[in-house]
Amino acid sequence: MFYLVVILLACSICINIFLIHRRLKHKAEVRYIESKLKAIIDEETSERLLLYTDNNQIKSLLKQINRLLEHNQKTVADYHNVERSIRKMLSNISHDLKTPLTVILGYIEIINNDKSLSTEKMMSLLKTVNLKTLEVLELINRFFELVKLESGDKKLSFSRIDICEISRKIILDYYEILINKEFEVSIEIPEESLFVRGDESAVERVLHNLISNAIQYGSDGKMIGLKLRKDKDNIYIEISDRGKGIGEVHKERVFERMYTLEDSRNSRYQGSGLGLTITKRLIEQMGGSISLESIPFKHTTFTVCLKRINF
């Protein structure tokens, strides 16, 4: 009997020691988690909580904390990307507004102060002022269109659209320009009607943006292509040129707000950097996508993918 009591007492002591050790170990683990989490937050690092433990509750807690850290770090990174994008956008739009406004103010000052101006010269200056004013207005309109698209205020009206008919109509709008610039034109549009679900004015805007972009930036290649193809679920619109192309480093960024290539700041390649961003947002709102493939002076192709309607 005595030995049994001693054995039970020893077992009880061992169990208590084990429980105390486990409790102390868990407290130490919690303290580690607390201090490590504080360091990650204070130092804004991209670390994760790594801890070997046999406690399933702590394992589950660590998993959820790491998920939260990952989400928070992604949110912070997205915020900084947007912040940088906005700063660049404001810088670029300031540049693009400053140039024509400087011309407008300079010419108006000449008209007001130079009393010896002939009527012909004055009319020439006023014509330039008018063109520069329209340029400023177009940039402002594009800027606010993009703001409305990204805020969700611009609602699209969806309907069944014959994309072949719209494509023919839009390319014909550029007939005189292409003839005057002596462009080779390659058009591949099926005779049959192909239908997509989208907003007609948005589809027209997308085509206008991409074709005018190909004419402006692909002028060195003297060629523009418009091709429609299909598969079971989608319609693909390819607009191509053989111009100077877009380098690999720029390919993913050309759709960013106000992003322009370095040479887009000279007189040959001037642009606001908003056209392709608006194009991408409109396509995405219609449930589609846009991609770019470019080999300088061989082909630069923007491919728009829209959902096909088979009835």
Side-chain angles (χ1 to χ4, degrees):
M1 185 69 180
F2 174 76
Y3 291 111
L4 181 60
V5 171
V6 170
I7 291 170
L8 290 173
L9 182 61
C11 289
S12 176
I13 292 170
C14 289
I15 290 170
N16 284 329
I17 291 172
F18 172 76
L19 291 174
I20 291 170
H21 173 74
R22 186 167 180 171
R23 193 177 298 116
L24 290 173
K25 181 183 178 184
H26 291 166
K27 283 184 178 180
E29 290 173 344
V30 171
R31 282 197 299 272
Y32 167 80
I33 292 171
E34 181 185 8
S35 62
K36 190 64 177 177
L37 188 59
K38 184 177 185 301
I40 290 172
I41 294 171
D42 290 346
E43 298 169 19
E44 298 182 358
T45 69
S46 59
E47 292 180 83
R48 299 288 185 272
L49 287 173
L50 300 175
L51 175 68
Y52 176 78
T53 178
D54 56 0
N55 187 296
N56 289 330
Q57 288 182 321
I58 291 182
K59 285 180 182 178
S60 179
L61 178 63
L62 286 171
K63 183 179 178 181
Q64 298 308 318
I65 289 174
N66 283 331
R67 285 184 62 196
L68 185 61
L69 285 172
E70 185 177 350
H71 174 74
N72 180 68
Q73 287 154 6
K74 184 179 182 301
T75 301
V76 170
D78 289 344
Y79 170 78
H80 287 312
N81 286 337
V82 169
E83 190 178 37
R84 282 193 297 271
S85 177
I86 289 174
R87 281 201 301 268
K88 184 171 180 62
M89 180 174 67
L90 292 174
S91 173
N92 286 351
I93 202 169
S94 298
H95 179 283
D96 288 338
L97 286 172
K98 182 179 180 181
T99 302
L101 286 174
T102 301
V103 174
I104 291 168
L105 290 172
Y107 281 13
I108 289 175
E109 187 176 346
I110 292 172
I111 292 169
N112 283 334
N113 297 330
D114 191 346
K115 305 304 180 184
S116 64
L117 280 177
S118 65
T119 302
E120 183 180 355
K121 180 63 175 176
M122 185 178 293
M123 292 304 295
S124 175
L125 292 176
L126 287 172
K127 183 178 179 180
T128 303
V129 167
N130 180 61
L131 289 173
K132 291 297 179 182
T133 302
L134 292 175
E135 186 181 317
V136 170
L137 185 61
E138 170 66 13
L139 178 59
I140 292 172
N141 286 338
R142 283 191 168 202
F143 176 75
F144 283 111
E145 181 181 6
L146 179 59
V147 170
K148 288 175 69 176
L149 277 169
E150 297 203 327
S151 66
D153 290 340
K154 187 178 178 67
K155 302 299 181 184
L156 302 184
S157 177
F158 290 92
S159 62
R160 179 171 173 264
I161 300 169
D162 185 344
I163 195 66
C164 296
E165 181 183 344
I166 287 183
S167 297
R168 292 188 193 100
K169 183 180 75 173
I170 299 300
I171 197 66
L172 280 174
D173 290 343
Y174 293 89
Y175 177 79
E176 293 295 336
I177 295 173
L178 294 170
I179 292 297
N180 290 335
K181 289 180 175 288
E182 299 181 336
F183 266 62
E184 173 193 347
V185 181
S186 173
I187 300 175
E188 297 181 47
I189 300 176
E191 291 295 326
E192 63 176 309
S193 293
L194 298 175
F195 296 99
V196 298
R197 180 178 179 273
D199 180 288
E200 187 167 342
S201 63
V203 171
E204 290 181 352
R205 180 64 186 273
V206 165
L207 291 173
H208 275 301
N209 282 354
L210 292 176
I211 291 172
S212 61
N213 191 73
I215 293 171
Q216 184 175 10
Y217 292 99
S219 57
D220 292 339
K222 293 291 183 180
M223 175 272 177
I224 187 168
L226 172 60
K227 177 181 179 180
L228 267 64
R229 56 185 177 86
K230 64 180 180 178
D231 60 24
K232 181 181 177 182
D233 301 313
N234 302 300
I235 303 293
Y236 302 92
I237 310 164
E238 297 178 358
I239 296 172
S240 57
D241 64 74
R242 293 188 193 135
K244 63 190 179 61
I246 298 169
E248 197 68 31
V249 69
H250 299 290
K251 283 170 65 175
E252 292 302 319
R253 300 194 63 195
V254 294
F255 299 107
E256 293 180 10
R257 305 175 193 87
M258 299 298 289
Y259 185 77
T260 54
L261 307 182
E262 289 302 314
D263 57 7
S264 68
R265 291 296 170 194
N266 68 40
S267 59
R268 285 190 69 199
Y269 301 113
Q270 189 159 16
S272 66
L274 290 174
L276 287 177
T277 308
I278 291 170
T279 297
K280 187 171 189 287
R281 298 293 184 270
L282 287 171
I283 292 168
E284 288 174 342
Q285 282 207 15
M286 292 186 286
S289 62
I290 183 169
S291 60
L292 166 64
E293 192 175 302
S294 183
I295 301 175
F297 299 105
K298 185 174 181 181
H299 76 89
T300 295
T301 304
F302 286 91
T303 302
V304 176
C305 174
L306 294 172
K307 293 295 181 184
R308 182 181 180 185
I309 295 178
N310 294 300
F311 60 87

